[in-house]
Amino acid sequence: MATYDLIVIGAGPGGYVCAIRAAQLGMKVAVAEGRATLGGTCLNVGCIPSKALLHATHELHEANHNFAKMGLIAETKVDWARMVAYKDEVIGQNTGGIEFLFKKNKIDWLKGYASIPAAGRVAVNGDTHEAKAIVVASGSQASTLPGVTIDEEVVVTSTGALSLKAIPERLVVIGAGVIGLEMGSVYARLGSKVTVVEYLDQITPGMDGEVSKQFQRILAKQGITFVLGTAVQGVERTNAGAVVVHRSRKTETEERLEADVVLVATGRKPYVDGLGLDALGVQMTPRGQIATDARFATSIPGVYAIGDVREGPMLAHKAEDEGVAVAEILAGQHGHVNYGVIPSVIYTTPEVASVGLTEEQLKAEGRAYKVGKFPFLGNGRAKAVFQGEGFVKILADKATDRILGAHLIGPMAGDLIHEVAVAMEFGAAAEDLARTCHAHPTFSEAVREAALACGDGAIHA
Ligand code: FAD
Ligand code: NAI
């Protein structure tokens, strides 16, 4: 039996970052991870592999649609097996990188799935280890629908969709959320006929309404078909593939959609199987998350939880920031996460990004605000690279000019959003952004112009 200051359960972005920060702060740390490689959902079957496929297929799209416009004559062919191998290589480089960081920081990897037989104890593969603190970072798994059986070949979650044997002719995606639209984009670019079936009347619920509408228009132009306001009743396997049975919420008519592959992307739920939390008496929320206080402490002293397994957005960077915060709290410092400034990004083309409050939220709160908007069509750099679609929208307090949120759809939106995030962390006014000199020609100039539009007006609009 080994004794540690901290044992982390799960080596996803929450767990591995927590372990590294704790080791930096002088703790003796171990991480239990049952997967064959470190990095959790994010590195193995989430963020990283999906971005690799998005990158490869974005390049394909550029080659097929924009190369000729620039006088580049190229013939592109897709070698799917090679593309999947490239994606796997990217995963390997990243998961191997975490293993290197564990060694560098003298973090022990306890290989296997862990349980917590008692406070202060973690059992892995028949061995029990002692720990002053335990951080549960066991992540999440895809949630399924009644009447739908996942086989990860024909009826798949994102995990199966990242490693299909062949490019499907017809892909039906259930759920117009982040996974559905990212993976839907990948296969639409590869030539699949993609139909997205969504329960609500809009895509990407919770997103700024204007962005969501334009996003839907752009994706439709890229060949994705949307069937909105319809509830999936079930998926039937057939010899040729599967049939998705869905019923319109307005007309109550039932329709059937044939598919070679069906991607179920209707959300994710916390993963706590095998941890023994029930027996330990850990309090859970009604949504199946581990209940924690503001310092990530569960109802059992010495047991903490971070990342997808507790409340909040299921995002890698949210998990990472909680990992850092809890490590600092355990070291007697004042770890803290500002949940008001957590950016979210969809890595389609164009990218979609947001931070802070949406206009809908501000209206619901009855707050006086102003809107500064700037279209990428007015940005020289965006036009030069055929990415003039989309806009930057900055929301600021009407009286104080303080930035309350930003919503972007356009080139590199996922990077541009951080300029606004930093400004928000500093409590900046829109005028602060507007008065900051921005290099020309950059996409960032569109952010400055939107900030200017919160005041006297953008220059290039
Ligand atoms: P996880 O990454 O889920 O890691 C938990 C780990 O714990 C797993 O490796 C699991 O094996 C291990 N584990 C569980 N139980 C035990 C146990 N009892 N003993 C030992 N080990 C255990 N987020 C973004 O911010 N950006 C993106 O671009 C993005 N893309 C995504 C794409 C897809 C297809 C998916 C599915 C998710 C994506 N996400 C993205 C979400 C992101 O992956 C999660 O928010 C993030 O991984 C959560 O981190 P975590 O550390 O809480 O848990
Ligand atoms: P999601 O919550 O983003 O979207 C699920 C969608 O499915 C919603 O639009 C919902 O209305 C719809 N839906 C639910 N039940 C349905 C039904 N019966 N019929 C039709 N539609 C139905 O969930 P998703 O896309 O599965 O992603 C899970 C999590 O992973 C998200 O919380 C997200 O934060 C994270 N993620 C983040 C990424 C990023 O940051 N770029 C990329 C991929 C995932």
Side-chain angles (χ1 to χ4, degrees):
M1 179 194 285
T3 303
Y4 294 94
D5 294 316
L6 170 65
I7 297 182
V8 181
I9 300 180
Y16 84 72
V17 168
C18 175
I20 292 172
R21 186 75 189 115
Q24 286 174 339
L25 292 168
M27 288 179 233
K28 183 169 157 53
V29 185
V31 177
E33 172 56 63
R35 244 179 240 277
T37 46
L38 300 172
T41 303
C42 180
L43 273 61
N44 289 283
V45 288
C47 326
I48 296 298
S50 58
K51 265 78 263 180
L53 291 183
L54 278 159
H55 172 68
T57 56
H58 169 74
E59 298 288 299
L60 172 70
H61 184 270
E62 287 297 288
N64 287 341
H65 293 86
N66 292 328
F67 272 22
K69 294 180 200 162
M70 298 181 283
L72 297 171
I73 310 304
E75 203 195 316
T76 43
K77 264 202 286 189
V78 175
D79 177 345
W80 176 239
R82 181 67 208 120
M83 196 180 285
V84 172
Y86 146 72
K87 180 259 306 173
D88 290 336
E89 281 158 22
V90 172
I91 295 173
Q93 285 160 7
N94 280 278
T95 57
I98 307 301
E99 215 171 323
F100 163 79
L101 290 175
F102 272 21
K103 284 187 188 128
K104 184 177 159 201
N105 287 283
K106 303 193 170 45
I107 296 165
D108 289 345
W109 175 2
L110 310 174
K111 294 188 180 177
Y113 284 96
S115 61
I116 311 174
R121 282 168 193 256
V122 173
V124 188
N125 274 336
D127 291 328
T128 302
H129 307 271
E130 272 185 11
K132 288 184 199 145
I134 298 168
V135 171
V136 181
S138 52
S140 62
Q141 63 180 348
S143 32
T144 46
L145 292 174
V148 180
T149 309
I150 304 287
D151 56 39
E152 294 297 11
E153 283 196 4
V154 171
V155 185
V156 300
T157 66
S158 52
T159 300
L162 289 166
S163 295
L164 292 181
K165 290 204 179 92
I167 299 165
E169 246 173 68
R170 299 157 304 175
L171 172 71
V172 172
V173 177
I174 306 176
V178 201
I179 291 182
L181 300 182
E182 285 188 353
M183 294 311 298
S185 282
V186 164
Y187 286 103
R189 293 171 192 166
L190 287 167
S192 304
K193 180 177 169 2
V194 177
T195 308
V196 180
V197 181
E198 164 62 46
Y199 181 79
L200 299 172
D201 294 325
Q202 64 160 99
I203 66 167
T204 53
M207 181 189 283
D208 179 274
E210 257 183 294
V211 173
S212 168
K213 279 198 195 96
Q214 174 139 16
F215 189 31
Q216 188 185 328
R217 272 198 298 271
I218 293 174
L219 290 177
K221 263 204 291 182
Q222 292 176 6
I224 296 181
T225 305
F226 291 98
V227 184
L228 302 180
T230 192
V232 169
Q233 309 293 301
V235 176
E236 296 163 9
R237 280 294 306 266
T238 59
N239 284 343
V243 172
V244 176
V245 184
H246 60 95
R247 184 190 291 266
S248 158
R249 286 166 56 223
K250 244 190 221 141
T251 61
E252 302 236 325
T253 46
E254 196 164 276
E255 286 193 34
R256 298 165 70 80
L257 261 174
E258 284 182 19
D260 302 297
V261 172
V262 178
L263 165 60
V264 183
T266 51
R268 293 177 63 82
K269 57 181 183 194
Y271 181 76
V272 292
D273 294 4
L275 283 166
L277 300 185
D278 254 6
L280 195 62
V282 174
Q283 209 179 315
M284 307 294 286
T285 72
R287 300 179 60 196
Q289 302 147 321
I290 298 180
T292 52
D293 65 14
R295 291 164 61 84
F296 311 100
T298 69
S299 56
I300 303 297
V303 180
Y304 301 78
I306 56 165
D308 280 10
V309 79
R310 75 179 285 276
E311 67 173 320
M314 287 184 164
L315 295 172
H317 41 284
K318 176 262 193 187
E320 291 183 37
D321 280 20
E322 290 184 345
V324 169
V326 77
E328 291 178 352
I329 289 168
L330 291 173
Q333 300 183 356
H334 300 283
H336 170 74
V337 178
N338 180 1
Y339 292 97
V341 187
I342 294 187
S344 72
V345 179
I346 308 180
Y347 298 84
T348 43
T349 303
E351 289 184 349
V352 178
S354 74
V355 67
L357 297 170
T358 61
E359 232 182 308
E360 289 76 9
Q361 286 170 320
L362 289 168
K363 277 188 190 139
E365 287 179 13
R367 290 179 68 173
Y369 65 93
K370 50 189 176 172
V371 184
K373 256 179 82 176
F374 186 78
F376 277 102
L377 254 187
N379 179 278
R381 180 75 177 277
K383 274 187 296 205
V385 299
F386 312 107
Q387 291 213 47
E389 277 183 315
F391 57 87
V392 178
K393 173 172 170 180
I394 293 181
L395 304 168
D397 187 277
K398 189 150 198 172
T400 64
D401 196 35
R402 187 178 176 140
I403 301 170
L404 303 172
H407 307 279
L408 285 70
I409 175 164
M412 302 293 281
D415 286 272
L416 299 183
I417 196 70
H418 295 97
E419 175 177 6
V420 187
V422 171
M424 287 175 74
E425 282 288 356
F426 281 82
E431 189 181 349
D432 292 318
L433 273 190
R435 288 195 181 275
T436 304
C437 184
H438 283 62
H440 176 75
T442 57
F443 301 129
S444 307
E445 288 174 288
V447 176
R448 180 196 207 177
E449 293 266 23
L452 275 165
C454 285
D456 293 337
I459 302 288
H460 294 91

